[in-house]
Amino acid sequence: RLATASHDKTVLVWDISNPHNPKPIGTPILHSAPVSQIEYTNDGNYIISGLSNGNICIISKNEIISEIQDNNNLDYKDIEGLSISRDNRVFVLTWESIHIWDFQEGSLMYNGNISVAIGKPLPMKFSPDGEYMVSVSNKDIYIWGMNTFNPKTRTYELIIKQPLSHEDDIITAVDISSD
């Protein structure tokens, strides 16, 4: 299966068993706002969609089963990045900062209280072993320990913030290999 998202407020799931003739599975899944990001959970059972109003939807079997709204009065903007951890437990969203949600409980675990004075963190990836999450902002790289969650402070340990040289340009993408 393949999923596509659109600013027309829909997600469409496709059967690509014949890649030369993809066919939609069901009807478009209508959301409350334009859809800016989508990603399947690692088990393929759910699609997480990020909306331009900052809401997050959980899709199962071609229908929205939950829409998580901004009930923490956070100043969300268009969701610009979305990534799901290897254990399907948390997914990470970026607006002007990083937000980490508990997928199973639908609750905010970390609300992005990081100091990013130079720009917004956009690209992010989980390491294949699920131990780290890497994000970049302009010319800095951030490496977060995913096993370092402190329930008292509701934060993850920032293991490293390191400037990276990319000539005179900002970093626009990041990935991490399995080795």
Side-chain angles (χ1 to χ4, degrees), residues 10-134:
T10 63
V11 168
L12 190 53
V13 179
W14 299 83
D15 175 355
I16 57 168
S17 56
N18 177 353
H20 299 288
N21 188 23
K23 295 183 180 178
I25 300 172
T27 58
I29 304 160
L30 186 62
H31 288 66
S32 62
V35 182
S36 56
Q37 297 287 318
I38 56 172
E39 187 164 330
Y40 275 100
T41 56
N42 294 307
D43 58 13
N45 291 330
Y46 302 95
I47 299 170
I48 308 301
S49 57
L51 311 183
S52 65
N53 63 3
N55 291 356
I56 304 149
C57 293
I58 302 170
I59 301 168
S60 176
K61 296 184 172 77
N62 246 28
E63 67 178 282
I64 296 172
I65 60 171
S66 180
E67 182 166 349
I68 302 168
Q69 299 178 346
D70 173 15
N71 54 7
N72 294 295
N73 296 319
L74 299 173
D75 184 22
Y76 291 166
K77 295 189 177 174
D78 193 18
I79 295 174
E80 299 180 33
L82 188 147
S83 188
I84 298 173
S85 66
R86 188 173 138 205
D87 63 2
N88 280 334
R89 183 167 170 99
V90 296
F91 52 96
V92 179
L93 308 174
T94 60
W95 290 275
E96 296 280 323
S97 56
I98 296 174
H99 303 267
I100 302 172
W101 291 82
D102 184 310
F103 173 72
Q104 293 173 338
E105 296 179 18
S107 62
L108 184 68
M109 295 174 68
Y110 180 75
N111 74 357
N113 291 331
I114 60 173
S115 175
V116 185
I118 300 175
K120 53 188 172 183
L122 291 175
M124 72 200 135
K125 294 283 181 149
F126 284 98
S127 62
D129 62 8
E131 297 284 319
Y132 304 101
M133 194 271 294
V134 178

